[in-house]
């Protein structure tokens, strides 16, 4: 079967770009061109190009692995987005990605592109762990004075330095990761780096560069054999970059773009002054519940989120969590939280989506603080029940043992897994000791929560049940 590399012969088989992709130059450099870039910003940009044109195609940049470049470059950046609505999948070819640069191999080309006037936005999906100020890649970048940066923040800072020196002017830095105040977080990383290499650069960045915060949402499962098979059957071509997503898509963006932006409204993006309440809503109601259902569901042997939702005990826990999370939120302009909650249940239960609990379970040490602990702190302040958040925390602690009740072991896939293993080895095996050791991972559980006896008691109680019994018993005990 021939490989997808042009739109020829595809008409009538999928939705095609309503513009000629090659007629548009690139304006966005995107760090981390994984599935989420392909199901989200690239789709909004595809709609914007169709509506308004402009030189806004996206050049992806892989910071480490060659996989995505090998998938997309031979296809001229084209790929199929397989939207999994219940029933038949809807196929769309996206034309907004121009290609992928592999940073470690093509450093000069990448720096030239980042420094070029046509680059007006640098966007990122590098996951939560990419923003750690203690990331060794950041230390290495600083150690060589940003001579050959490898971290996202290092690349951005070095590029801004080059642009300042050549008089090209700034670009917007656009984080599309699931962190509260994601714009402010990347801004702090970049400003700290700039301050250390050249305070005048830091000053210039503070005056000229914008870092809008965004709330991004689209559930994007890992591509699987069936994705490729469905595309091959429908389009008659092989697409190694095919990407799966749910039909739902949402983007709320602070409108602060120092060098222009595409007409993303064309795809339904919402531009607001303050993204904060939207971020909290999504992080606590969607992502927090995702984490709860991923750990609990995985331990109960459920492979996919839809299986969790088909299990009445777990569905009840999911509902409890979503409602408890909603109760911790400030008002969210224009959003009815009860309706948002109902939509979430339907999205999680979508029978056409094969979203693995194991995918969501990864990187728990990065995900729990914004999703669960911040919500728990707010619940504590408001005298609301802590049980849902304590249970979610205990489910992660049970999962962190790396072993299912039937003895099957699995990899944790967490950037702090060495520390987690060390903490577990230091505990005597009791729920109390394990909960204490894991809660003491530096910077993990906020002090106010960690030192709250009511919270600790609830975590230990739920963890004790997970460890002593069948996890089903731990779940049922919550529902009494
Ligand atoms: C998930 C997210 O990986 C995770 O932990 O909660 O990837 C989630 O699917 C997206 O944020 C949905 O927008």
């Amino acid at each position: 079967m021939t490989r997808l590399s042009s739109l020829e012969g595809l008409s009538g088989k999928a939705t095609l770009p309503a513009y000629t992709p090659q007629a548009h130059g690139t304006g966005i450099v995107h760090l981390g061109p994984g599935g989420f870039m392909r199901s989200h910003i690239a789709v909004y940009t595809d709609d914007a190009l169709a509506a308004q044109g402009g030189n806004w195609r996206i050049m992806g940049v892989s910071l480490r692995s060659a996989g995505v470049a090998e998938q997309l470059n031979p296809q001229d950046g084209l790929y199929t987005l397989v939207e999994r609505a219940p029933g038949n999948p809807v196929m769309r070819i996206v034309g907004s990605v121009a290609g992928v640069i592999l940073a470690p191999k093509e450093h000069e080309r990448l720096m030239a592109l980042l420094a070029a006037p046509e680059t007006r936005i640098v966007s990122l999906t590098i996951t939560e762990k990419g923003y750690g100020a203690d990331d060794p890649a950041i230390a290495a970048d600083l150690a060589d004075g940003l001579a050959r940066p490898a971290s996202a923040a290092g690349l951005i800072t070095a590029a801004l330095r080059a642009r300042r020196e050549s008089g090209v002017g700034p670009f917007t830095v656009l984080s599309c990761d699931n962190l509260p105040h994601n714009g402010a977080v990347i801004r702090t990383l970049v400003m700290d780096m700039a301050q250390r290499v050249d305070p005048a650069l830091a000053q210039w960045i503070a005056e000229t560069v914008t870092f809008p915060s965004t709330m991004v949402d689209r559930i994007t499962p890992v591509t699987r054999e069936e994705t490729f098979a469905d595309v091959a059957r429908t389009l008659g071509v092989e697409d190694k970059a095919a990407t799966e997503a749910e039909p739902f898509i949402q983007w709320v963006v602070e409108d602060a773009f120092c060098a222009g932006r595409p007409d993303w409204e064309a795809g339904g993006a919402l531009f607001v002054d303050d993204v904060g309440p939207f971020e909290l809503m999504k992080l606590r109601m969607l992502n927090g519940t995702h984490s709860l259902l991923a750990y609990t569901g995985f331990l109960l042997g459920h492979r996919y989120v839809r299986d969790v939702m088909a299990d009445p005990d777990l569905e009840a826990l999911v509902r409890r969590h979503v409602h408890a999370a909603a109760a911790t939120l400030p008002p969210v302009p224009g959003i009815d939280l009860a309706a948002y909650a109902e939509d979430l249940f339907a999205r999680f239960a979508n029978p056409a989506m094969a979203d693995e609990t194991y995918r969501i379970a990864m990187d728990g040490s990065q995900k729990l603080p914004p999703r669960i602990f911040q919500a728990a702190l707010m619940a504590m302040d408001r005298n609301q029940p802590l049980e849902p958040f304590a249970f979610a925390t205990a489910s992660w602690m049970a999962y962190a043992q790396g072993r299912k009740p039937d003895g099957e072991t699995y990899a944790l896939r967490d950037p702090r897994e060495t520390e987690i293993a060390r903490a577990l080895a230091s505990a005597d095996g009791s729920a109390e000791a394990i909960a204490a050791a894991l809660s003491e991972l530096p910077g993990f559980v906020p002090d106010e929560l960690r030192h709250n006896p009511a919270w600790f008691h609830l975590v230990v109680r739920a963890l004790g049940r997970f460890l002593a019994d069948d996890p089903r018993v731990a779940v049922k005990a919550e529902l009494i």
Side-chain angles (χ1 to χ4, degrees), residues 112-393:
L113 180 63
L114 285 169
E118 57 265 30
T119 297
R120 285 164 287 160
I121 295 175
V122 174
S123 50
L124 313 89
T125 46
I126 53 175
T127 78
E128 295 88 339
K129 58 183 175 284
Y131 294 81
D134 49 2
D135 181 351
I138 292 192
D141 287 353
L142 280 168
D144 79 351
L146 297 181
R148 200 186 157 90
S151 69
L155 286 166
I156 291 170
T157 313
L160 289 170
R161 177 170 68 184
R163 295 174 78 100
R164 174 172 176 255
E165 280 163 10
S166 65
V168 155
F171 50 57
T172 300
V173 181
L174 186 66
S175 167
C176 300
D177 281 295
N178 283 322
L179 300 169
H181 314 298
N182 49 14
V185 172
I186 184 70
R187 181 178 191 278
T188 303
L189 277 182
V190 169
M191 287 294 287
D192 281 356
M193 276 192 138
Q195 193 64 42
R196 295 212 220 162
V197 294
D198 176 4
L201 172 63
Q203 177 76 27
W204 181 80
I205 293 175
E207 283 162 9
T208 60
V209 179
T210 51
F211 299 79
S213 280
T214 65
M215 180 270 251
V216 291
D217 192 7
R218 187 168 218 187
I219 298 174
T220 306
V222 177
T223 301
R224 57 200 161 113
E225 280 313 313
E226 209 176 318
T227 325
F228 299 122
D230 283 352
V231 170
R233 201 172 35 247
T234 313
L235 305 184
V237 291
E238 182 188 29
D239 178 357
K240 293 202 167 164
T243 304
E244 295 249 337
E246 64 172 337
F248 182 94
I249 185 164
Q250 191 176 27
W251 202 12
V252 185
V253 192
E254 220 177 303
D255 204 355
F257 288 78
C258 62
R261 64 167 172 83
D263 177 23
W264 283 319
E265 288 94 337
L270 180 66
F271 286 86
V272 299
D273 290 337
D274 181 12
V275 176
F278 298 91
E279 285 176 333
L280 293 183
M281 170 184 81
K282 196 255 170 174
L283 274 165
R284 293 182 189 171
M285 291 178 69
L286 189 160
N287 297 113
T289 309
H290 244 180
S291 291
L292 154 83
L293 70 78
Y295 300 121
T296 315
F298 184 86
L299 291 172
L300 276 161
H302 293 310
R303 178 155 183 205
Y304 299 120
V305 175
R306 65 182 188 217
D307 306 332
V308 174
M309 296 304 284
D311 176 328
D313 293 337
L314 289 188
E315 200 223 354
L317 274 190
V318 164
R319 287 182 177 267
R320 177 181 81 157
H321 194 100
V322 167
H323 292 306
T328 69
L329 296 172
V332 190
I335 303 255
D336 170 357
L337 290 182
Y340 184 79
E342 288 306 315
D343 282 352
L344 284 182
F345 304 137
R347 290 169 66 192
F348 293 161
N350 181 343
M353 287 274 283
D355 193 18
E356 296 201 3
T357 49
Y358 190 50
R359 171 187 85 81
I360 301 165
M362 74 192 281
D363 294 346
S365 70
Q366 313 297 301
K367 291 175 175 173
L368 259 55
R371 298 176 178 199
I372 304 293
F373 303 151
Q374 290 306 321
L377 277 178
M378 187 49 76
M380 203 170 91
D381 272 5
R382 295 183 174 178
N383 274 320
Q384 287 162 352
L386 292 176
E387 279 84 350
F389 310 107
F391 182 79
T393 305

Side-chain angles (χ1 to χ4, degrees), residues 388-458:
F389 310 107
F391 182 79
T393 305
S395 73
W396 172 75
M397 290 178 171
Y399 175 86
Q401 313 295 307
R403 167 191 295 270
K404 284 190 185 172
D406 63 6
E408 187 191 327
T409 58
Y410 49 86
L412 222 51
R413 303 198 299 175
D414 190 296
R416 297 185 78 175
E417 62 188 40
T418 314
E419 280 176 87
I420 292 169
R422 219 181 293 129
L424 289 172
S426 74
D428 65 12
S430 68
E432 181 144 11
I434 292 173
L438 291 176
S439 301
E440 275 157 29
L441 290 173
F444 184 44
V445 185
D447 288 347
E448 236 186 301
L449 202 57
R450 203 154 59 88
H451 295 140
N452 177 313
W455 164 263
F456 191 67
H457 164 76
L458 291 173

